[in-house]
Amino acid sequence: MIVNTPVPRGKIYDRNEKVIVNNGPVKAITYTRMKGTTSEEMVETAKLLSQMIDMDGENMKERDLKDYWIVTRPDQASKKIKKEELLDETLTDKDRYNRQIERITSHDLKGISKEELKVAAIFTNMNSGYTLTPQVIKRYVTEEELAIIGEHLTDLPNVDLSTDWDRLYPHEHIFRSVLGNVTSSSEGLPSSNLEYYLSREYNRNDRVGKSQLELFYEEILQGQKAKKKYITDQNGKLLETEKISEGQRGKDLVLAIDFELQKVVEQVIQDELSRAKGRNRFLDRAFVVMMNPNTGEVLTMAGKQIVRENGKNVFRDYALGTINSQYEMGSVVKGATILAGLESGAIKPNTIFSDEKLNLKGTPLKGSHSTTLGTNGIEGALKKSSNVYMFKTVIGMMGKEYQSGMSLPKKPEAVQEFRNVFSQFGLGVKTGIDLPNESNGLIGKEAYTKPGLFLDLSIGQYDNYTAMQLAQYISTIANGGYRLKPQLVRTIHTPSRSNEIGPVFQAFQPEVLNKITMEEKYLHQVQEGFRQVYQSLVELLINILEEILDTMNSKQQEKQGQHNPFIKTQTRKKHTQLTI
């Protein structure tokens, strides 16, 4: 019989080859049940082990205690089956055993002493897997226990000393929700995917990725198991053990994430949330995604959430929220609205609209954030964030031109045409990132029948998107119309025996999911509009900072009793240069 023995999982590095997930060796005691070994023989071995190692049996499951009770109290267990049940040929041995289990009472189990609980815990671990498959009896074995077991191995049939491993996440509060987790030996294979894993030569008690990156790249990280061949006689007695292969730990992942940048961004988010919380008690989370628009590599994927614990505000890592929580994104989607209008013909590159309060039948006046935005073309509308320009654009997509007092027509095909353009940029569809359970966003149905909601949709106040979808959308505009798959893993590496990373096994190339089907000049106009938005923000920040410096300079001059305009001018120029 050939037996597969698990090996440590692959490591995970950031883009600068900093280890962010590792394995730690753990000293362990194992037991391999041979064919023909009886449960009674295993109990005797467990009794010997209980005198040599410390074992906690206080939290054993009731079912495990019942299994142990049946083995160690055969006379009492036999009384749990009626004579007619023994003679009933329709019942299998498994049926009879299950009836014994059901009839064991809490009073019966109280007969197991505290010292015997240790034996029961050891026996349960010994009996937890397949025949001829090593089972871990105890992890984190002390040096004293190792010495005692080592001296008495000849008296402990099928017991061995081994090295197990722990999965280590040294940065517990940074990027943690995205890395995921692995199952423990006691959890083993998840029941939901049991047949899948068993068909791939996994053992039932194997530790596997159960969430996020650990799950998505399970077959890469798991590695090649060591293989041994057990040769037995007809009675199941072990005659010889033959090593077939030593196995190899799992392959390593190098992420696109810059971990130092991730740490800084997470700290900034936390600081800003702390400041904002005092002004808005409902603000409890924030996200930042940084993506290379030309490759799709995700450089930073950060999220923090404030929760109350023991009467205090504490921060939790919520990086995973960038792909599985969605929100109304507001004016940032206006670039896609312009492109939808251009693609449909509702507006042209030179279309100009006057920003005014819209008087629509049955609806309160709808306008922009200011009444002084004036008349704007596409770039100006984006720079000033004109709601009215977007409203008039989608009214045009409905086949109408704005008139005061008009009724909005119901035109669901226009809404669908609008959303089709949005989906080309990744808004309302999965981005394709290499993680499980990504959200599509939340797409409302009422916009098809309530045209007023179509107006809200055009300014980002209806459909909900994820932060990752938003990053993909902006990247698609930035790179000239190529929607790239966001990529967390850059390369996969063959494991090295040294501390250095091994050779590249597979490198991921940029993957284009779709090319935007519209004229390039449309994208160029939106790019220019976004550039002007950025420039206006920079100018605003410079003006604010100059005012702060002027105020600080004035106060300093008041203290000194003199006025020195040269100092003020130089300070402002210096700051302006630094800001740019």
Side-chain angles (χ1 to χ4, degrees), residues 16 48 52 101-102 104 113 116 124 157 170 211 272 279 289 303 324 334 373 453 462 537:
N16 300 312
L48 290 174
M52 303 176 190
I101 291 291
E102 291 172 2
I104 297 172
S113 67
E116 200 178 358
T124 298
S211 60
E272 292 301 318
R279 301 189 300 271
V289 174
N324 65 16
K334 288 176 179 175
L373 298 187
L453 294 178
Y462 186 61
L537 288 174

Side-chain angles (χ1 to χ4, degrees), residues 75 103 138 279 304 426 459 508 532:
D75 292 339
R103 293 165 185 170
K138 182 179 179 180
R279 301 189 300 271
K304 288 290 183 181
I459 61 170
F508 290 92
Q532 291 185 23

Side-chain angles (χ1 to χ4, degrees), residues 115-148:
E115 283 300 313
E116 200 178 358
L117 283 174
K118 292 173 58 177
V119 180
I122 294 171
F123 171 77
T124 298
N125 290 345
M126 294 166 66
N127 200 36
S128 60
Y130 294 116
T131 301
L132 297 180
T133 302
Q135 305 300 317
V136 176
I137 297 172
K138 182 179 179 180
R139 306 170 83 242
Y140 308 110
V141 182
T142 66
E143 293 296 332
E144 182 180 356
E145 289 172 332
L146 283 173
I148 294 173

Side-chain angles (χ1 to χ4, degrees), residues 185-222:
S185 296
S186 58
E187 288 177 290
L189 302 181
S191 57
S192 57
N193 292 315
L194 183 61
E195 295 303 320
Y196 170 85
Y197 285 118
L198 291 178
S199 67
R200 285 160 174 76
E201 297 187 340
Y202 282 74
N203 296 328
R204 287 178 180 267
N205 64 339
D206 278 350
R207 282 168 284 174
V208 298
K210 63 178 179 179
S211 60
Q212 309 324 320
L213 275 173
E214 294 277 21
L215 170 61
F216 195 90
Y217 286 98
E218 164 61 29
E219 294 189 9
I220 299 296
L221 292 167
Q222 183 68 18

Side-chain angles (χ1 to χ4, degrees), residues 217 220-221 251-254 489-494 501-508:
Y217 286 98
I220 299 296
L221 292 167
K251 294 181 177 64
D252 299 327
L253 304 181
V254 173
V489 174
R490 297 181 78 195
T491 50
I492 298 172
H493 293 253
T494 301
I501 196 165
V504 173
F505 174 79
Q506 179 183 351
F508 290 92

Side-chain angles (χ1 to χ4, degrees), residues 507-518:
F508 290 92
Q509 301 300 320
E511 183 177 341
V512 178
L513 300 178
N514 61 270
K515 174 72 170 69
I516 302 305
T517 57
M518 59 182 63

Side-chain angles (χ1 to χ4, degrees), residues 172-401:
E172 188 59 35
H173 302 292
I174 302 171
F175 197 57
R176 185 66 185 85
S177 60
V178 178
L179 296 173
N181 290 292
V182 298
T183 61
S184 64
S185 296
S186 58
E187 288 177 290
L189 302 181
S191 57
S192 57
N193 292 315
L194 183 61
E195 295 303 320
Y196 170 85
Y197 285 118
L198 291 178
S199 67
R200 285 160 174 76
E201 297 187 340
Y202 282 74
N203 296 328
R204 287 178 180 267
N205 64 339
D206 278 350
R207 282 168 284 174
V208 298
K210 63 178 179 179
S211 60
Q212 309 324 320
L213 275 173
E214 294 277 21
L215 170 61
F216 195 90
Y217 286 98
E218 164 61 29
E219 294 189 9
I220 299 296
L221 292 167
Q222 183 68 18
Q224 299 175 358
K225 295 183 176 183
K227 293 186 177 183
K228 289 183 180 180
K229 185 176 182 180
Y230 288 91
I231 301 172
T232 60
D233 61 17
Q234 293 181 343
N235 298 319
K237 183 180 179 180
L238 181 64
L239 300 176
E240 185 181 348
T241 301
E242 178 184 335
K243 180 183 290 186
I244 299 177
S245 66
E246 292 186 357
Q248 186 179 61
R249 72 170 177 84
K251 294 181 177 64
D252 299 327
L253 304 181
V254 173
L255 306 186
I257 294 290
D258 185 320
F259 203 72
E260 289 305 311
L261 177 62
Q262 179 82 17
K263 285 198 292 186
V264 171
V265 170
E266 289 194 16
Q267 188 60 54
V268 170
I269 294 175
Q270 188 166 313
D271 292 343
E272 292 301 318
L273 272 178
S274 294
R275 280 190 282 269
K277 189 67 175 173
R279 301 189 300 271
N280 184 347
R281 63 190 180 90
F282 297 107
L283 181 60
D284 68 343
R285 66 196 69 184
F287 307 95
V288 172
V289 174
M290 295 186 187
M291 183 188 299
N292 185 328
N294 296 315
T295 65
E297 291 182 345
V298 180
L299 305 176
T300 294
M301 180 179 174
K304 288 290 183 181
Q305 183 177 20
I306 301 175
V307 295
R308 294 288 287 181
E309 287 185 2
N310 301 319
K312 295 181 179 180
N313 285 338
V314 297
F315 288 92
R316 284 185 182 171
D317 174 60
Y318 196 29
L320 201 59
T322 59
I323 68 163
N324 65 16
S325 63
Q326 54 273 323
Y327 310 91
E328 291 180 358
M329 291 301 183
S331 295
V332 70
V333 307
K334 288 176 179 175
T337 297
I338 292 293
L339 292 167
L342 288 167
E343 181 70 1
S344 69
I347 58 174
K348 298 184 182 303
N350 59 353
T351 296
I352 295 175
F353 287 134
S354 174
D355 199 285
E356 58 189 307
K357 292 287 185 180
L358 300 192
N359 177 27
L360 301 168
K361 187 176 180 179
T363 303
L365 292 177
K366 296 179 77 71
S368 299
H369 60 92
S370 171
T371 58
T372 62
L373 298 187
T375 299
N376 300 288
I378 287 173
E379 292 89 343
L382 289 173
K383 177 181 178 179
K384 299 176 184 179
S385 193
S386 170
N387 289 346
V388 172
Y389 199 100
M390 309 305 145
F391 295 155
K392 290 183 176 180
T393 294
V394 296
I395 290 173
M397 291 184 69
M398 295 183 215
K400 298 289 183 179
E401 183 177 339

Side-chain angles (χ1 to χ4, degrees), residues 498-557:
S498 67
N499 290 328
E500 296 181 358
I501 196 165
V504 173
F505 174 79
Q506 179 183 351
F508 290 92
Q509 301 300 320
E511 183 177 341
V512 178
L513 300 178
N514 61 270
K515 174 72 170 69
I516 302 305
T517 57
M518 59 182 63
E519 294 186 44
E520 287 188 13
K521 63 181 181 180
Y522 296 164
L523 282 172
H524 292 161
Q525 275 196 283
V526 173
Q527 287 173 345
E528 174 58 23
F530 280 179
R531 188 198 67 79
Q532 291 185 23
V533 172
Y534 163 76
Q535 186 62 36
S536 64
L537 288 174
V538 170
E539 292 172 357
L540 177 63
L541 286 172
I542 289 173
N543 290 334
I544 292 172
L545 290 168
E546 284 180 345
E547 290 177 10
I548 293 172
L549 288 170
D550 284 347
T551 302
M552 293 172 62
N553 187 46
S554 297
K555 289 182 178 180
Q556 184 66 26
Q557 290 169 2

